[in-house]
Amino acid sequence: MSNPLLRDSVFHSPASHNGVMTVSGTINKSVILWIFLAASAFYSWTHPAVIMPLLFPILMGAFVLAVVSVFKKTASPFLSPLYALCEGLVLGAVSLYFEKMYQGIVVNAILSTICVLFCMLASYKAGMLKATPRFQKTVIFSTLAIGLVYMADLLLNVFGVGKFPYIHDSSTLGIVVSFAIAAVASLNLIIDFDLIEKGAQSGSPKYMEWYGALSLMITLVWLYLEMLKLLSKLSNRD
């Protein structure tokens, strides 16, 4: 699956008496989550000395919240804001690190991510890109492969063996690899849009709006980080 939070089965629960999921409701929840993320990112950006020693525990906390949401989707209204706050602290610190190395890169990465988001949404709405079974299988396989590569790279770094080839270097092939990873992250948005729309059409419970909003946030955070990495490689080539 492209995003572990977004599966067809999660939208097939019977709706509760509190209402049903809608696309507009999911958008509203997304806006709320991004406000939480932006606020915590700003704090992390302006207080790096406070956040840096706690960065790894916060990152692990965000990961745990995301995993729990997979198995306890009814808790999404409570876990999603917590995840957004934790992820914002991480992104603020990471963004500050890149900004100190490459002035202006954060703004460019944000704008690039927003442009990709709207391009993918326009392509989806126009029917240019559809989440067909073959499309989904290709994106899912590619996403899992990237995840395995990142895990291997992390293990190599932890044990001091080295780094996975082309993930971090600014060679031509390294830049091509980053382009490819960013492309896969972008295509995950098509699957996200499709599954959220299906959830609204099937009348899923209201809390699924938070679930869908959280899923979109996870995809966009990944895309933003890939944009940062890609832009930093391109800057090194200048």
Side-chain angles (χ1 to χ4, degrees), residues 1 5 10 31 35 47 52-53 76 89 142-143 154 164 167 172 174 180 184 187 192 203 214 232 235 237:
M1 52 197 164
L5 293 175
V10 304
V31 171
I35 290 174
H47 298 79
M52 288 306 297
S76 294
L89 293 174
S142 301
T143 302
L154 177 62
F164 205 89
I167 294 296
T172 300
V184 172
L187 293 175
D192 294 348
L214 175 60
S232 67
S235 296
R237 296 296 296 269

Side-chain angles (χ1 to χ4, degrees), residues 34-108:
W34 283 104
I35 290 174
F36 276 108
L37 185 142
S40 60
F42 178 78
Y43 178 83
S44 180
W45 179 284
T46 55
H47 298 79
V50 176
I51 299 301
M52 288 306 297
L54 304 173
L55 192 60
F56 185 74
I58 293 173
L59 179 61
M60 290 298 99
F63 176 76
V64 170
L65 289 170
V67 171
V68 172
S69 295
V70 173
F71 299 100
K72 190 66 174 178
K73 53 185 177 292
T74 55
S76 294
F78 312 102
L79 299 182
S80 299
L82 292 176
Y83 171 84
L85 289 172
C86 291
E87 197 63 66
L89 293 174
V90 174
L91 287 186
V94 172
S95 298
L96 181 61
Y97 170 80
F98 275 93
E99 184 67 19
K100 287 182 177 180
M101 295 181 64
Y102 312 98
Q103 188 173 5
I105 191 174
V106 170
V107 172
N108 289 331

Side-chain angles (χ1 to χ4, degrees), residues 3 5-6 11 21-34 76 80-81 83-84 192 196 206-221:
N3 186 327
L5 293 175
L6 282 174
F11 295 111
M21 178 183 184
T22 63
V23 173
S24 61
T26 304
I27 293 174
N28 292 336
K29 303 303 188 297
S30 294
V31 171
I32 293 173
L33 292 184
W34 283 104
S76 294
S80 299
Y83 171 84
D192 294 348
I196 290 175
K206 194 70 173 176
Y207 60 78
M208 294 300 293
E209 294 177 349
W210 288 101
Y211 197 84
L214 175 60
S215 300
L216 274 177
M217 171 170 281
I218 290 173
T219 302
L220 287 170
V221 165

Side-chain angles (χ1 to χ4, degrees), residues 56-235:
F56 185 74
I58 293 173
L59 179 61
M60 290 298 99
F63 176 76
V64 170
L65 289 170
V67 171
V68 172
S69 295
V70 173
F71 299 100
K72 190 66 174 178
K73 53 185 177 292
T74 55
S76 294
F78 312 102
L79 299 182
S80 299
L82 292 176
Y83 171 84
L85 289 172
C86 291
E87 197 63 66
L89 293 174
V90 174
L91 287 186
V94 172
S95 298
L96 181 61
Y97 170 80
F98 275 93
E99 184 67 19
K100 287 182 177 180
M101 295 181 64
Y102 312 98
Q103 188 173 5
I105 191 174
V106 170
V107 172
N108 289 331
I110 292 174
L111 292 177
S112 298
T113 302
I114 293 174
C115 287
V116 170
L117 170 63
F118 282 103
C119 286
M120 291 295 104
L121 182 58
S123 298
Y124 173 74
K125 287 296 184 181
M128 298 171 60
L129 291 174
K130 298 180 180 180
T132 62
R134 178 175 295 183
F135 178 92
Q136 293 188 46
K137 288 179 181 179
T138 301
V139 175
I140 290 167
F141 177 81
S142 301
T143 302
L144 291 176
I146 292 169
L148 290 175
V149 169
Y150 278 154
M151 288 181 62
D153 180 66
L154 177 62
L155 290 174
L156 289 174
N157 277 277
V158 169
F159 292 103
V161 178
K163 296 182 179 180
F164 205 89
Y166 308 116
I167 294 296
H168 304 286
D169 66 72
S170 301
S171 65
T172 300
L173 187 53
I175 291 174
V176 170
V177 168
S178 284
F179 264 114
I181 295 175
V184 172
S186 302
L187 293 175
N188 270 277
L189 290 171
I190 300 299
I191 299 178
D192 294 348
F193 297 149
D194 181 70
L195 290 174
I196 290 175
E197 189 171 64
K198 287 180 179 177
Q201 292 172 352
S202 63
S204 297
K206 194 70 173 176
Y207 60 78
M208 294 300 293
E209 294 177 349
W210 288 101
Y211 197 84
L214 175 60
S215 300
L216 274 177
M217 171 170 281
I218 290 173
T219 302
L220 287 170
V221 165
W222 176 29
L223 178 59
Y224 168 73
L225 291 173
E226 294 302 333
M227 287 296 181
L228 274 178
K229 186 180 296 184
L230 175 59
L231 291 174
S232 67
K233 290 183 177 182
L234 292 174
S235 296

